[in-house]
């Protein structure tokens, strides 16, 4: 089949599209329940659950996501990137089918948890697979594309729920949207099965021959070409070096030796904390509630503004693909955190003044918030943990980052309606302040990864550690690039020597055979 034989650029596109379908499933799953909770047939089927019960139905999905990310810590490196994603899709298929066939609250809640397991697993595995199979100069924009498709999945649910609202008296109006998530999951499973495994994971498992074949396909070169062999040897050498520096086990994770494992895990998880406690899910989950309760808009106008808000987020998320690998992750996070803090400040002032004009200013603040979020924290918390962690701990670091994200999604889902009901506009002050707090943390502790290969990032932390307090990150980056470049030259020279020796051996054999024929 042609899809299993893709090479070079077309293979990268194939992997990217596959990740995109899986992440669109992520977005669809995250947004589908928002419109269903207002469906009268859904409410009557489940005997008109109270707002508290509705909140539990929504939040149990996030609990499933937390557990799914936790599972990935223990099975991700055992199964590999592909099989982890396929298992995640299987959980979504089972969860989606159970949700669509539910007639009781326990049935629905269990189904939501099962579906959440799959989304939690794929949110950790997909960015790793994408990062480990693409070129350094494309890594940021490709992961950014996946997050645009997440928002695309949410937008799709908005329009689907709107369409089915015209037949809201029929069961299909809520059962079909819940069952439709199975379509994306089945499609993603098929596409993942047709794509190659991560060569870096294969090297980690010492399946070097398979890794060499995958690298050759990604580079569109013969398996025995010098470029393929050199890339393979560089990955093998990096994995071997990591094993030499640190013992295997949980103790090394909390050490901060040459590999700075614990620091790197914390940096990845910190991005997820910044994203969620920066207020995005206050907007995503509760924007219609905010617009009606805090701004006093009608339900219809609130729904229209919510749809427009998501479309604008897609646009700004697309814009970041043009600059994320040029400007870098750190600069965009600094710009995003400061801009998001200013936007929430404008919204707070507008709400506090309680005039028609000030409400318009406050809504503008919320929309401007999406501009800054779209160019920074929409995609970076998914790409950064897959870049910053070492090969041996990439699965662990990415899983911890996603656990952190889903944990704080759960926290925000629980506290937002309580905060809005009890302290009104003052609730948004929390997020304005937190976004400003992120700025010095990012400035002093975060390391730039744009344009660096995963092997260069590994060496960067080692050089910074051994260089002592006088070593700057800029200098460590320069030395890391030089070290990997020198390593590539050494590998190239060894490859050439081995190739020349093989040629000489063949020539000598041919001469010996010729002499033997002459003597005969």
């Amino acid at each position: 089949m042609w899809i299993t034989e893709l090479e070079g650029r077309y293979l990268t596109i194939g992997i990217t599209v596959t990740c995109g379908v899986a992440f669109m499933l992520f977005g669809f799953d995250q947004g589908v329940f928002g419109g269903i909770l207002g469906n009268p047939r859904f409410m009557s089927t489940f005997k008109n659950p109270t707002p508290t019960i509705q909140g539990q139905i929504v939040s149990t999905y996030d609990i499933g996501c937390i557990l799914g990310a936790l599972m990935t810590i223990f099975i991700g490196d055992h199964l590999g990137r592909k099989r982890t994603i396929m298992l995640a899709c299987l959980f979504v298929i089972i969860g989606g089918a159970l949700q669509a066939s539910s007639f009781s609250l326990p049935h629905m809640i269990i189904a939501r948890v099962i579906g959440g397991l799959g989304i939690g697993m794929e949110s950790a595995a997909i960015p790793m697979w994408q990062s480990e199979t693409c070129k350094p100069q494309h890594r940021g924009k490709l992961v950014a594309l996946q997050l645009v498709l997440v928002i695309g999945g949410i937008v799709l649910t908005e329009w689907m729920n709107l369409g089915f609202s015209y037949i809201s008296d029929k069961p299909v109006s809520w059962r079909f949207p819940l069952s439709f998530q199975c379509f994306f999951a089945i499609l993603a499973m098929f596409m993942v099965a047709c794509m190659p495994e991560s060569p870096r994971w294969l090297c980690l498992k010492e399946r070097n021959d398979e890794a060499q074949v995958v690298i050759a396909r990604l580079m569109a070169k013969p398996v025995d070409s010098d470029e393929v062999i050199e890339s393979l040897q560089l990955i093998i050498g990096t994995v071997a070096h990591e094993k030499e520096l640190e013992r295997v086990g949980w103790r090394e994770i909390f050490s901060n030796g040459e590999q700075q494992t614990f620091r790197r895990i914390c940096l990845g998880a910190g991005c997820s904390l910044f994203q969620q406690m920066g207020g995005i899910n206050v907007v995503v989950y509760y924007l219609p509630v905010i617009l009606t309760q805090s701004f006093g808009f009608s339900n219809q106008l609130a729904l229209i503004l919510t749809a427009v808000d998501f479309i604008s987020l897609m646009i700004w998320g697309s814009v970041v693909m043009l600059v994320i690998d040029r400007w870098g992750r750190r600069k965009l996070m600094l710009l995003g955190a400061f801009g998001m803090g200013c936007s929430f400040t404008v919204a707070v002032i507008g709400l506090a003044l309680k005039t028609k004009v000030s409400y318009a200013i406050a809504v503008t603040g919320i929309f401007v918030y999406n501009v800054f979020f779209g160019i920074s924290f929409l995609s970076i918390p998914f790409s950064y943990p897959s870049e910053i962690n070492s090969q041996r701990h990439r699965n662990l670091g990415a899983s911890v980052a996603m656990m952190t994200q889903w944990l704080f999604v759960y926290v925000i889902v629980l506290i937002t309606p309580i905060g809005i009901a009890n302290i009104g506009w003052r609730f948004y002050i929390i997020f304005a302040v937190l976004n400003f707090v992120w700025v010095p943390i990012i400035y002093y502790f975060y390391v730039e990864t744009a344009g660096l290969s995963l092997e260069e990032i590994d060496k960067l932390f080692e050089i910074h550690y051994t260089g002592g307090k006088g070593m700057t990150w800029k200098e460590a980056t320069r030395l890391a690039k030089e070290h990997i470049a020198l390593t590539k030259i050494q590998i190239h020279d060894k490859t050439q020597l081995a190739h020349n020796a093989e040629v000489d051996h063949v020539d000598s054999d041919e001469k010996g055979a010729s002499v033997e024929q002459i003597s005969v």
Side-chain angles (χ1 to χ4, degrees):
M1 189 184 298
W2 65 269
I3 196 172
T4 62
E5 299 173 355
L6 296 173
E7 291 186 349
R9 181 183 178 186
Y10 296 105
L11 180 56
T12 300
I13 292 171
I15 293 171
T16 302
V17 171
T18 303
C19 292
V21 170
F23 256 33
M24 199 162 186
L25 165 64
F26 174 9
F28 189 90
D29 252 29
Q30 195 167 5
V32 69
F33 234 84
I36 289 173
L37 285 175
N39 184 292
R41 192 59 186 260
F42 174 86
M43 297 294 286
S44 64
T45 301
F46 294 96
K47 300 176 182 178
N48 298 307
T50 64
T52 302
I53 297 297
Q54 291 181 38
Q56 288 302 315
I57 294 173
V58 173
S59 61
T60 49
Y61 167 79
D62 298 321
I63 293 173
C65 292
I66 295 168
L67 296 175
L70 177 62
M71 282 176 59
T72 310
I73 293 176
F74 300 101
I75 67 173
D77 276 337
H78 177 70
L79 294 178
R81 313 307 184 222
K82 279 182 60 177
R83 286 188 291 177
T84 300
I85 296 169
M86 292 174 74
L87 179 61
C89 291
L90 181 60
F91 276 123
V92 173
I93 292 168
I94 295 170
L98 289 174
Q99 288 174 62
S101 61
S102 293
F103 282 94
S104 66
L105 283 175
H107 188 163
M108 177 60 77
I109 288 172
I110 292 170
R112 292 283 289 166
V113 172
I114 294 172
L117 287 173
I119 297 301
M121 291 173 66
E122 75 163 32
S123 65
I126 289 173
M128 284 191 289
W129 189 40
Q130 179 79 82
S131 296
E132 292 177 346
T133 55
C134 67
K135 295 178 180 179
Q137 62 267 31
H138 298 151
R139 195 170 57 232
K141 63 173 68 75
L142 292 179
V143 175
L145 174 62
Q146 313 307 331
L147 273 298
V148 172
L149 292 172
V150 170
I151 305 303
I154 296 174
V155 171
L156 177 60
T157 65
E158 296 287 332
W159 290 111
M160 184 176 288
N161 286 328
L162 176 63
F164 278 108
S165 68
Y166 292 99
I167 53 169
S168 58
D169 59 329
K170 300 182 184 300
V172 71
S173 63
W174 67 269
R175 293 190 186 276
F176 181 84
L178 289 177
S179 65
F180 192 71
Q181 59 191 297
C182 299
F183 166 76
F184 287 113
I186 293 169
L187 180 59
M189 281 186 74
F190 169 75
M191 296 181 70
V192 169
C194 296
M195 296 294 122
E197 181 55 89
S198 161
R200 288 176 169 83
W201 178 80
L202 291 170
C203 287
L204 185 65
K205 294 300 178 180
E206 299 181 354
R207 293 162 59 178
N208 299 335
D209 291 341
E210 295 174 60
Q212 186 171 347
V213 173
V214 175
I215 292 170
R217 287 183 62 191
L218 289 167
M219 299 177 73
K221 293 184 179 294
V223 175
D224 57 353
S225 69
D226 291 347
E227 294 93 332
V228 171
I229 294 171
E230 289 163 16
S231 297
L232 175 67
Q233 291 301 321
L234 181 61
I235 297 171
I236 293 172
T238 301
V239 172
H241 184 60
E242 289 175 4
K243 289 181 179 178
E244 290 174 6
L245 288 178
E246 293 181 327
R247 296 177 182 177
V248 178
W250 285 95
R251 186 174 181 180
E252 69 172 292
I253 293 167
F254 297 101
S255 67
N256 232 12
E258 286 188 45
Q259 286 290 301
Q260 299 187 64
T261 302
F262 185 67
R263 173 180 181 149
R264 293 161 81 170
I265 291 173
C266 288
L267 289 175
C271 289
S272 295
L273 174 66
F274 301 158
Q275 182 194 61
Q276 295 307 319
M277 293 308 292
I280 182 57
N281 271 315
V282 174
V283 177
V284 169
Y285 274 74
Y286 290 105
L287 183 58
V289 177
I290 293 169
L291 293 174
T292 54
Q293 293 186 13
S294 297
F295 291 75
F297 293 162
S298 68
N299 286 330
Q300 186 178 16
L301 181 56
L303 289 171
I304 292 170
L305 288 173
T306 301
V308 173
D309 185 58
F310 279 122
I311 292 171
S312 72
L313 187 55
M314 281 188 70
I315 293 169
W316 291 109
S318 301
V319 168
V320 78
M321 291 190 290
L322 304 175
V323 297
I324 189 169
D325 289 312
R326 187 180 304 171
W327 292 3
R329 288 47 158 166
R330 187 168 170 270
K331 288 180 182 177
L332 287 174
M333 285 196 290
L334 287 169
L335 175 63
F338 182 76
M340 287 152 59
C342 292
S343 300
F344 260 116
T345 301
V346 169
V348 166
I349 293 171
L351 287 171
L353 294 176
K354 296 181 180 180
T355 66
K356 191 173 182 179
V357 174
S358 70
Y359 281 157
I361 292 171
V363 173
T364 303
I366 293 295
F367 274 78
V368 172
Y369 171 91
N370 272 349
V371 175
F372 289 104
F373 179 82
I375 64 172
S376 57
F377 289 99
L378 174 62
S379 56
I380 292 174
F382 289 88
S383 64
Y384 200 78
S386 298
E387 298 173 324
I388 203 72
N389 288 289
S390 66
Q391 177 61 53
R392 293 175 64 230
H393 297 110
R394 187 166 294 124
N395 176 71
L396 173 64
S399 300
V400 169
M402 290 305 103
M403 281 180 61
T404 303
Q405 181 179 98
W406 290 113
L407 174 63
F408 283 98
V409 168
Y410 181 69
V411 169
I412 292 297
V413 168
L414 288 181
I415 69 172
T416 296
I418 300 170
I420 293 173
N422 287 282
I423 58 177
W425 60 267
R426 295 173 183 84
F427 179 67
Y428 309 118
I429 296 175
I430 297 170
F431 302 102
V433 172
L434 285 175
N435 279 301
F436 287 126
V437 169
W438 305 151
V439 174
I441 295 174
I442 294 166
Y443 183 83
Y444 285 108
F445 294 105
Y446 274 75
V447 182
E448 186 54 71
T449 59
L452 297 176
S453 70
L454 299 178
E455 289 72 32
E456 287 171 339
I457 294 169
D458 268 353
K459 183 56 63 175
L460 163 66
F461 279 92
E462 184 182 332
I463 290 173
H464 187 266
Y465 178 86
T466 56
K469 294 182 178 179
M471 176 64 68
T472 64
W473 286 108
K474 186 176 182 179
E475 179 67 11
T477 300
R478 184 184 66 79
L479 293 174
K481 287 182 175 180
E482 290 178 358
H483 182 275
I484 295 300
L486 179 61
T487 302
K488 287 180 178 178
I489 292 171
Q490 292 171 345
I491 291 171
H492 176 75
D493 291 343
K494 288 179 182 179
T495 304
Q496 287 297 111
L497 285 172
H499 178 71
N500 292 336
E502 185 178 344
V503 170
D504 291 341
H505 180 69
V506 171
D507 288 345
S508 63
D509 286 347
E510 288 178 352
K511 287 179 181 178
S514 299
V515 170
E516 189 175 329
Q517 279 183 338
I518 292 169
S519 62
V520 171

